[in-house]
Amino acid sequence: MAKTISIAIDGPAGAGKSTIARRLAKDLGYYYVDTGAIYRTVAYFFDLWGVSPKDADAVRRYIDELTVGIEYDEEGVQHMIMNGMDVTGDIRTQDIAQKASLVSAYPEVREVLLDMQRNIARKHNVIMDGRDIGTVVLPKATVKIFLTASPEVRAQRRTKELQAKGQKANYDQILKEIQQRDYQDTHRDIAPLKMARDSVKVDTSELDIDGVVAAIREIVNQKVAP
Ligand code: DC
């Protein structure tokens, strides 16, 4: 099998990873793999069961009851399948994001999801975004990007994004949640959010989407012939 190309995009919540990765994947004809959606699906599963993400015993006991699937529709949109049910729309709330951050700290949870992520990258050219893609999931990724922005800019963007979807959004509350999630995601023992030594940092605070896509295209073109 021909060797596949993988572009890892890591960074904190709200840095613009999914918007940028989706655009790049479309431009390049690669699969876009949103790994945050996988952890959100796990969080949603425990939420439905009424299990607190802080209840380590219950998380460990019930994780084997969960089957997570990823499917792509004809437009290339990633769908999350939880025990046979499409939960793609259900996982996009601040509450589930927060619970995903907690549940993703358990080694037992991360372990069962690792092969699934690696298998996609083995079969297809991918742009994969998350927290530990360049450090743990695909340490040999062709290109590694660390996308970041100030917490205030990220909170502003997230507020607008939720409002555009008709969801309630309060900037101060979202900023607090982002800071809390940053703390949890960077301080956990296993696969914490951190920049891989060989990744390129792109700060998106002062850039619009086109600017970020252009900057990353340049980095990608240096490693992968266009
Ligand atoms: O990218 P996101 O906001 O949808 O991610 C939700 C949470 O999932 C995030 O706060 C931490 C966790 N996550 C992770 O631990 N590892 C990843 N590769 C992606 C997400």
Side-chain angles (χ1 to χ4, degrees), residues 37-51 62-71 78-91 96 103 113 116:
I38 305 174
Y39 291 95
R40 285 169 183 256
T41 301
V42 177
Y44 186 67
F45 165 77
F46 284 116
D47 209 42
L48 281 186
W49 277 58
V51 169
Y62 294 121
I63 186 68
D64 290 341
E65 306 290 329
L66 167 66
T67 311
V68 181
I70 295 190
E71 288 175 6
Q78 173 180 323
H79 287 255
M80 294 311 306
I81 315 295
M82 182 203 80
N83 290 354
M85 205 167 86
D86 191 327
V87 296
T88 311
D90 304 299
I91 59 176
I96 292 298
V103 93
L113 303 171
M116 159 190 216

Side-chain angles (χ1 to χ4, degrees), residues 61-144:
R61 194 166 338 123
Y62 294 121
I63 186 68
D64 290 341
E65 306 290 329
L66 167 66
T67 311
V68 181
I70 295 190
E71 288 175 6
Y72 289 88
D73 66 22
E74 54 287 352
E75 262 128 51
V77 176
Q78 173 180 323
H79 287 255
M80 294 311 306
I81 315 295
M82 182 203 80
N83 290 354
M85 205 167 86
D86 191 327
V87 296
T88 311
D90 304 299
I91 59 176
R92 294 283 145 207
T93 66
Q94 285 293 105
D95 179 51
I96 292 298
Q98 195 58 32
K99 287 174 174 158
S101 173
L102 291 170
V103 93
S104 65
Y106 296 104
E108 294 84 353
V109 169
R110 302 201 74 85
E111 214 156 282
V112 299
L113 303 171
L114 202 53
D115 280 349
M116 159 190 216
Q117 297 169 76
R118 287 180 176 155
N119 281 338
I120 303 173
R122 207 168 287 137
K123 292 190 199 130
H124 308 279
N125 292 336
V126 293
I127 301 199
M128 194 176 278
D129 78 11
R131 303 293 187 286
D132 63 334
I133 310 306
T135 50
V136 177
V137 180
L138 305 174
K140 294 194 176 147
T142 322
V143 180
K144 296 182 189 178

Side-chain angles (χ1 to χ4, degrees), residues 101-196:
S101 173
L102 291 170
V103 93
S104 65
Y106 296 104
E108 294 84 353
V109 169
R110 302 201 74 85
E111 214 156 282
V112 299
L113 303 171
L114 202 53
D115 280 349
M116 159 190 216
Q117 297 169 76
R118 287 180 176 155
N119 281 338
I120 303 173
R122 207 168 287 137
K123 292 190 199 130
H124 308 279
N125 292 336
V126 293
I127 301 199
M128 194 176 278
D129 78 11
R131 303 293 187 286
D132 63 334
I133 310 306
T135 50
V136 177
V137 180
L138 305 174
K140 294 194 176 147
T142 322
V143 180
K144 296 182 189 178
I145 307 284
F146 193 83
L147 207 63
T148 188
S150 72
E152 289 77 16
V153 167
R154 289 187 278 128
Q156 245 164 33
R157 287 182 188 154
R158 195 41 63 94
T159 308
K160 279 196 199 145
E161 198 179 292
L162 290 170
Q163 282 168 347
K165 281 194 220 157
Q167 291 186 28
K168 262 199 254 148
N170 172 288
Y171 170 81
D172 291 328
Q173 167 84 18
I174 289 176
L175 178 60
K176 239 176 43 202
E177 283 171 2
I178 278 189
Q179 284 165 332
Q180 190 182 343
R181 212 135 69 88
D182 282 357
Y183 185 86
Q184 285 165 188
D185 293 349
T186 50
H187 285 78
R188 64 181 179 223
D189 291 337
I190 177 163
L193 167 64
K194 67 171 182 209
M195 205 175 130

Side-chain angles (χ1 to χ4, degrees), residues 9 19-21 23-24 27-28 145 147 200 202 204 207-222:
I9 304 188
T19 310
I20 302 302
R23 273 270 297 268
L24 278 167
D27 286 1
L28 297 166
I145 307 284
L147 207 63
V200 182
V202 177
T204 70
L207 295 171
D208 62 10
I209 294 173
D210 287 338
V212 180
V213 171
I216 296 182
R217 273 304 285 262
E218 228 179 278
I219 297 163
V220 172
N221 287 346
Q222 282 166 16

